[in-house]
């Protein structure tokens, strides 16, 4: 069985090249950060549709039917405004379906929702990712903080694995994890079914790093570090466990493992 995954985000674009509602950095850089993960997932098991944040403004589906072809949605480094403010709303003042509510209902119906960390994930840099108190946050196994949630650790930290080695997401992940350079600070939800599989070390606050949960019939995952540089160094990408963890996350979220 091929698992269809919609990977959305991981692009920073100069605000001068887009209408003012676009919520990424106002810089002159263009950066695509999903390539390491896409490369790690290559093969016959996953069919990856990679939609950059700036493309998602207009191309992300506006209907539940449009999302129904996917088993997993992975949001990574994309602010909520990218989906809330398409040109129809921002430029023309016309109502459109709320795509954050559609993601929530798609998850409730059995979809696998994953959010990975970054400057425009969870609450993000200066709080501009703005996922707090949204329908998407409602479905996640973590809650966002009301302010800039970045944890910059330039000297690096090693994940503290707190989940059982028998958990399907940790299956086959052996040895010490390479250093990570940052994460988003979140709070794990309380309640049945929420499991913190890995944390930052206590000297860095002990915050959740990898959390699983459920929403309705769907499964949800929060990975609070990035999927590529800078928070995820090249050494982590080259580590065999990187591909193993992400394949396991997608299998678990899609209920194929």
């Amino acid at each position: 069985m091929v698992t269809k995954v919609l990977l959305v985000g991981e692009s920073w674009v100069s605000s001068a090249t887009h209408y003012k509602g676009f919520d990424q950095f106002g810089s002159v850089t263009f950066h695509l950060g999903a390539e390491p993960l896409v490369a790690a997932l290559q093969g016959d098991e996953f069919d990856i549709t990679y939609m950059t944040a700036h493309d998602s403004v207009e191309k992300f589906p506006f209907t539940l039917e449009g999302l129904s072809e996917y088993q997993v949605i992975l949001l990574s480094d994309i602010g909520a405004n990218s989906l809330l403010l398409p040109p129809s709303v921002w430029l023309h003042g016309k109502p459109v379906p709320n795509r954050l509510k559609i993601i929530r209902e798609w998850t409730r119906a059995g979809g696998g929702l994953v959010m990975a960390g970054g400057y425009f994930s969870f609450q993000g840099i200066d709080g501009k990712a703005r996922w707090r108190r949204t329908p998407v946050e409602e479905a996640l196994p973590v809650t966002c903080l009301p302010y800039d949630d970045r944890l910059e650790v330039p000297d690096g930290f090693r994940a503290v694995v707190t989940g059982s080695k028998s958990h399907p997401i940790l299956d086959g992940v052996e040895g010490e994890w390479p250093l990570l350079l940052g994460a988003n600070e979140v709070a794990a939800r309380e309640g049945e079914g929420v499991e913190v599989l890995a944390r930052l070390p206590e000297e860095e606050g002990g915050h959740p790093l990898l959390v699983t949960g459920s929403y309705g019939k769907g499964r949800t995952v929060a990975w609070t570090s990035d999927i590529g540089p800078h928070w995820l160094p090249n050494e982590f990408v080259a580590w065999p466990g990187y591909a193993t963890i992400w394949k396991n996350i997608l299998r678990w979220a899609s209920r194929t493992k």
Side-chain angles (χ1 to χ4, degrees):
M1 174 181 175
V2 176
T3 300
K4 298 197 70 173
V5 179
L6 179 57
L7 168 55
V8 190
E10 287 293 337
S11 62
W12 307 343
V13 192
S14 168
S15 60
T17 64
H18 287 270
Y19 64 91
K20 292 187 295 181
F22 192 73
D23 64 4
Q24 303 292 339
F25 279 122
S27 69
V28 294
T29 62
F30 184 88
H31 163 73
L32 297 177
E35 283 84 354
L37 182 57
V38 173
L41 296 175
Q42 284 182 344
D44 297 331
E45 184 177 357
F46 302 103
D47 179 3
I48 310 293
T49 297
Y50 176 20
M51 184 182 295
T52 62
H54 63 285
D55 283 339
S56 72
V57 174
E58 298 187 67
K59 294 182 178 180
F60 190 93
F62 284 88
T63 65
L64 193 59
E65 292 74 20
L67 289 182
S68 64
E69 65 177 290
Y70 302 103
Q71 284 77 56
V72 179
I73 295 173
L74 169 54
L75 301 172
S76 179
D77 223 350
I78 175 175
N81 280 348
S82 290
L83 300 182
L84 288 172
L85 297 174
S88 296
V89 175
W90 181 257
L91 295 180
H92 307 297
K94 296 180 179 180
V96 300
N98 186 327
R99 291 182 284 186
L100 305 194
K101 292 180 180 179
I102 292 171
I103 293 172
R104 180 187 62 191
E105 296 314 304
W106 171 88
T107 306
R108 193 199 306 270
L113 177 63
V114 183
M115 182 175 284
Y119 273 28
F120 273 83
S121 299
F122 302 102
Q123 200 65 356
I125 184 170
D126 299 330
K128 291 179 179 178
R130 300 179 66 86
W131 290 104
R132 176 176 165 83
R133 293 183 176 175
T134 67
V136 167
E137 185 202 42
E138 183 181 330
L140 290 172
V142 300
T143 57
C144 303
L145 305 182
Y147 45 77
D148 189 323
D149 61 6
R150 291 171 301 144
L151 299 165
E152 300 286 357
V153 188
D155 50 338
F157 69 87
R158 294 191 189 277
V160 177
V161 178
T162 54
S164 169
K165 290 289 188 179
S166 64
H167 193 285
I169 289 179
L170 299 176
D171 182 35
V173 182
E174 304 294 339
E176 188 175 59
W177 296 22
L179 291 176
L180 294 163
L181 302 181
N184 298 90
E185 181 182 350
V186 299
R189 291 188 185 275
E190 297 182 1
E192 185 178 355
V194 175
E195 187 171 359
V196 179
L197 300 183
R199 292 184 176 274
L200 278 69
E202 286 301 321
E203 58 267 28
E204 300 297 343
H207 306 293
L209 176 66
L210 178 58
V211 188
T212 62
S214 61
Y215 185 75
K217 297 179 180 179
R219 287 181 170 180
T220 61
V221 180
W223 164 258
T224 63
S225 194
D226 211 335
I227 60 174
H230 77 280
W231 281 351
L232 206 72
N234 290 326
E235 290 78 6
F236 200 105
V237 174
W239 173 52
Y242 171 71
T244 300
I245 288 172
W246 276 103
K247 288 178 181 179
N248 285 348
I249 286 174
L250 298 184
R251 291 166 183 152
W252 185 85
S254 63
R255 298 182 182 273
T256 57
K257 183 171 183 177

